[in-house]
Amino acid sequence: MGLSDFILNRRCRGCGAQKTLLCGACRADVEAAIGPHRLVAGSLPTHSAVRYESTVRAVILAAKRTGSPECIAVMARLAQVALLQCIDEVGTESEVCIVPLHSGAKTRAGAGQDLVVAVLRQAVKGMRDSAVEVRVADVLQIRPHAVQQKLLNREERSSNVRGSVRVAARARLQGRSVVIFDDVMTSGATLRAASQAVGAVQGQVLAGVVVAHRPWISSDSGRQAGEWMTDD
């Protein structure tokens, strides 16, 4: 390994292998993990490409912390899988507006951009041959949460995000078919809040789509959310 490799820290974001930012084995691990999965966030059907675990988790964390183009490309590939599954299931023949949630301040600082929006835009570029016209409508405005979501149980998460998401006044979503997009889903509280905000301006929310979903332990039930949130 040369000096430039030390300087650039060229190690696989998944397994730490040298001289590559994402090795072939880790790429293969991610591909092998693709479901896809159909989940339920409250009453909102939500499509996910993979579980947030193992190599997938490492790749997504690397994208959040470093903005690695290789990792963002993998996330876009997964997003595309889930989006295509969603569009196929809802069976719409009209244009679909994909409305992204926004990355938090910490992720934006680490990635150097809004990661959720960047992943979605890259995914949509690869869907130009889709039978349904897909466009990104970046119209949500999100107020910072009073408490970090990761510190709360399922019910507390829903309360914490209530009223925190609204649609920008410039948006024209009335009567349009809408899909809400995020990177990782845990409880689905933010997806539900976004869905309610879009519904309040008469947008027709068809489903949610996420890159990955994370089974989590609810402190009030003692069960993994993945055991009762998924219907795949």
Side-chain angles (χ1 to χ4, degrees):
M1 184 170 64
L3 178 60
S4 62
D5 290 322
F6 281 112
I7 294 172
L8 297 174
N9 189 29
R10 292 181 60 81
R11 290 180 177 272
C12 175
R13 304 300 185 185
C15 66
Q18 296 178 349
K19 297 188 178 182
T20 179
L21 293 176
L22 194 62
C23 73
C26 285
R27 290 180 188 274
D29 281 349
V30 173
E31 286 292 322
I34 292 175
H37 305 265
R38 188 183 186 280
L39 314 168
V40 179
S43 60
L44 182 69
T46 302
H47 302 267
S48 168
V50 289
R51 289 179 178 269
Y52 182 73
E53 58 191 11
S54 189
T55 305
V56 170
R57 179 177 181 274
V59 168
I60 293 176
L61 284 177
K64 288 175 177 284
R65 293 169 179 171
T66 70
S68 163
E70 292 83 358
C71 294
I72 290 175
V74 170
M75 290 181 67
R77 151 74 176 145
L78 297 174
Q80 192 177 107
V81 168
L83 283 166
L84 288 171
Q85 180 207 21
C86 173
I87 290 171
D88 182 63
E89 179 171 306
V90 298
T92 182
E93 297 181 358
S94 61
E95 175 191 78
V96 175
C97 296
I98 313 297
V99 175
L101 285 154
H102 290 160
S103 299
K106 186 176 180 181
T107 294
R108 291 197 302 272
Q113 60 187 321
D114 190 312
L115 183 64
V116 175
V117 175
V119 167
L120 176 59
R121 291 195 183 280
Q122 189 165 330
V124 168
K125 282 182 181 179
M127 297 173 61
R128 289 174 178 164
D129 295 333
S130 172
V132 176
E133 183 178 355
V134 176
R135 74 177 185 89
V136 177
D138 186 4
V139 296
L140 292 183
Q141 297 176 336
I142 305 174
R143 188 179 68 245
H145 300 147
V147 182
Q148 292 185 51
Q149 289 287 83
K150 66 182 180 181
L151 302 177
L152 306 175
N153 64 30
R154 190 181 189 214
E155 285 69 26
E156 290 168 340
R157 284 169 182 248
S158 294
S159 177
N160 196 43
V161 301
R162 189 172 297 126
S164 66
V165 183
R166 70 185 185 92
V167 175
R170 61 181 169 80
R172 297 291 182 268
L173 296 180
Q174 184 174 2
R176 293 176 179 258
S177 298
V178 174
V179 169
I180 310 296
F181 177 79
D182 203 359
D183 54 358
V184 179
M185 182 175 93
T186 300
S187 70
T190 309
L191 283 171
R192 292 194 299 274
S195 176
Q196 291 164 2
V198 171
V201 297
Q202 283 73 56
Q204 182 183 357
V205 181
L206 304 178
V209 168
V210 294
V211 173
H213 65 286
R214 173 167 44 192
W216 65 300
I217 300 297
S218 170
S219 61
D220 54 355
S221 72
R223 295 196 299 170
Q224 287 193 356
E227 293 175 353
W228 44 263
M229 191 190 307
T230 179
D231 65 356
D232 59 344

